[in-house]
Amino acid sequence: MTTQRPISSDDEHRVLQFRPRTSPSPTAHRGNASVQQLRVAPERLDLSRYEEPRTEPDDFRRRMLANIAALAFTIALTAIGIWLAVSIADLRRTQDCVLMGRHDCVKITTPHI
């Protein structure tokens, strides 16, 4: 069995020398023509151009009530999630006990007299 080696030529292996860029000149030469580069004044970096004038002042009381409602909703979702995780863990523990063949899996609570 003969081994096949890839055929390589000297055209495939060429080292390119990269020169660092120089400072930009006002005219750039491309081909036979020269192109004048545009110089644009830097824009301000604020968001004032996107602001719209307000017709009425902010209602801070309404905003605070909305924040309180959002906080209460988040707390309720968290509490429901914790309760659900605990109840699923308890059901899994009971199911594992029953599948092992034990008969005393369910916790019996007695009323205190």
Side-chain angles (χ1 to χ4, degrees):
M1 181 183 237
T2 61
T3 59
Q4 294 181 350
R5 301 183 84 195
I7 300 172
S8 65
S9 65
D10 291 334
D11 293 336
E12 292 179 11
H13 305 286
R14 191 179 297 170
V15 177
L16 299 177
Q17 181 180 6
F18 290 100
R19 288 179 234 112
R21 294 183 180 181
T22 59
S23 63
S25 62
T27 59
H29 299 285
R30 294 183 185 221
N32 294 335
S34 64
V35 178
Q36 185 74 17
Q37 291 182 353
L38 295 175
R39 293 191 182 234
V40 179
E43 296 182 19
R44 295 188 310 170
L45 298 176
D46 61 351
L47 299 175
S48 63
R49 62 181 168 184
Y50 299 110
E51 291 180 0
E52 294 182 9
R54 295 183 182 218
T55 57
E56 57 189 45
D58 282 339
D59 188 7
F60 292 108
R61 179 186 163 120
R62 183 176 174 197
R63 184 184 293 181
M64 287 300 292
L65 288 175
N67 288 342
I68 290 171
L71 179 66
F73 182 72
T74 304
I75 289 172
L77 279 180
T78 303
I80 290 171
I82 290 172
W83 170 79
L84 189 61
V86 168
S87 64
I88 288 174
D90 188 36
L91 287 172
R92 185 181 67 197
R93 193 176 314 116
T94 304
Q95 185 179 17
D96 288 344
C97 178
V98 169
L99 290 175
M100 286 191 303
R102 298 177 63 187
H103 298 289
D104 55 348
C105 298
V106 180
K107 295 178 183 176
I108 300 174
T109 58
T110 56
H112 296 289
I113 301 176

